[in-house]
Amino acid sequence: MVAQINGSVVKAFTILKLFSQERPELTAADVTRETGMNAITAHRFLRTLEHVGALVAVTKGVYRLGYVFADLGDRVLRSDALARLLQPFLNRLTEELQEATMATVFRSDMVTCIARATSRRSLSVDIRVGTQLEAYCTAHGKTWLAHMPDHERERYLQSVERVRFTTNTIIDLEALNAELEKVREQRYAVNDSEREDGIRAVAVPILTRTGRMIAGISAFGPSSRFTESAMRKALDRLRAAAEEVEDSLYGDERSSVGSDVMAR
């Protein structure tokens, strides 16, 4: 299998991964120093990446990422592509937990269901694909808000009317911010009858390697059955599934293979 890997492609992506928020620009000298390539090879790769639009020359010999990646990123994050990726994981979770599960994205200040699996048990909760839910009073929504940049979360909290759906709905701004900080630290959120009486949910984020949240997954059910013990079990399963999903986002990428190719 290793013999079938194209070393030039691996080297190209090794260069692209050197870019970061802290370092938006690179030179051939940077590539030579950090990859072990010689100067001629580094320069050739940078010029080739510029030719295909992956890089843009800011000044002579200085490059930044090209906006082709914004277009490609939009394609990757299309809801139908994410839904296809996540559906098998939801099916398996529902089979194991015997409770409904769903996946969401965040659009127009609302949580939107993009995939779901329903339980065969009585008193199951059915959320349909396309259903939109408020963010501040749902497990998914609190997970999304907790992983937003501070300025985006502040804009949301200041612009959205917070309605008290039940006695458990958190509408006080200080209390809600404290809840979101807790969610960010523990990397999961709980909804205990905050939007609808008698319904509990627990949700976890799906994160890229840079920490960007691209989806959320949850399990939920009636409070009479989805007890604290059941929720803890669901949380363990959700976290394991999230790790598997996060690994699958990057395919069969192995650092050892990359290191081997770079050394050639």
Side-chain angles (χ1 to χ4, degrees):
M1 181 63 70
V2 173
Q4 297 175 357
I5 293 175
N6 188 301
S8 293
V9 176
V10 174
K11 289 179 181 179
F13 274 88
T14 299
I15 293 172
L16 294 172
K17 290 177 182 178
L18 295 177
F19 289 93
S20 66
Q21 185 172 351
E22 294 72 28
R23 184 172 59 180
E25 298 176 354
L26 285 177
T27 65
D30 295 324
V31 175
T32 297
R33 183 177 61 254
E34 298 190 36
T35 68
M37 295 181 191
N38 62 52
I40 294 175
T41 301
H43 181 72
R44 185 176 74 248
F45 269 92
L46 288 169
R47 288 296 303 274
T48 302
L49 288 167
E50 179 189 15
H51 176 73
V52 299
L55 297 182
V56 173
V58 180
T59 58
K60 185 176 181 180
V62 180
Y63 299 87
R64 65 165 173 80
L65 290 174
Y67 281 96
V68 65
F69 289 106
D71 295 333
L72 293 173
D74 286 340
R75 296 175 201 173
V76 170
L77 294 177
R78 282 178 54 190
S79 294
D80 55 347
L82 271 175
R84 287 195 298 271
L85 171 68
L86 294 170
Q87 190 63 59
F89 292 94
L90 298 182
N91 293 343
R92 188 177 69 192
L93 284 166
T94 289
E95 187 67 27
E96 292 176 358
L97 300 172
Q98 291 299 297
E99 296 292 357
T101 58
M102 74 170 175
T104 65
V105 294
F106 192 80
R107 292 178 182 157
S108 304
D109 290 341
M110 297 287 281
V111 174
T112 302
C113 174
I114 60 170
R116 55 80 159 126
T118 55
S119 169
R120 298 187 184 93
R121 300 174 72 175
S122 60
L123 298 176
S124 63
V125 181
D126 186 19
I127 297 289
R128 299 183 181 278
V129 171
T131 297
Q132 290 190 308
L133 302 169
E134 295 77 11
Y136 67 91
C137 59
T138 57
H140 272 276
K142 287 190 285 186
T143 305
W144 279 103
L145 293 175
H147 286 83
M148 282 182 183
D150 291 342
H151 69 279
E152 290 186 20
R153 183 172 70 182
E154 180 64 20
R155 180 208 57 78
Y156 169 87
L157 293 175
Q158 294 297 332
S159 63
V160 171
E161 181 183 4
R162 297 183 296 281
V163 177
R164 188 182 294 280
F165 288 97
T166 73
T167 56
N168 287 356
T169 307
I170 304 173
I171 60 173
D172 177 75
L173 188 57
E174 184 176 349
L176 185 54
N177 270 315
E179 173 79 357
L180 296 177
E181 285 302 316
K182 179 176 151 185
V183 169
R184 179 151 56 182
E185 290 175 8
Q186 63 192 17
R187 286 183 62 171
Y188 74 90
V190 169
N191 168 10
D192 188 359
S193 300
E194 294 171 44
R195 187 179 183 275
E196 187 175 350
D197 281 320
I199 301 298
R200 281 183 174 148
V202 58
V204 301
I206 304 294
L207 305 175
T208 66
R209 288 178 182 166
T210 59
R212 178 186 177 189
M213 183 173 172
I214 59 169
I217 56 174
S218 73
F220 52 99
S223 303
S224 59
R225 188 173 67 221
F226 206 41
T227 62
E228 289 188 13
S229 174
M231 289 178 71
R232 284 194 297 270
K233 177 183 176 183
L235 177 59
D236 289 340
R237 298 291 192 275
L238 286 165
R239 281 175 162 165
E243 289 183 7
E244 291 184 55
V245 172
E246 288 167 2
D247 286 342
S248 73
L249 294 175
Y250 297 90
D252 190 23
E253 182 185 63
R254 294 180 175 88
S255 58
S256 59
V257 172
S259 299
D260 178 63
V261 171
M262 289 301 298
R264 294 175 186 173

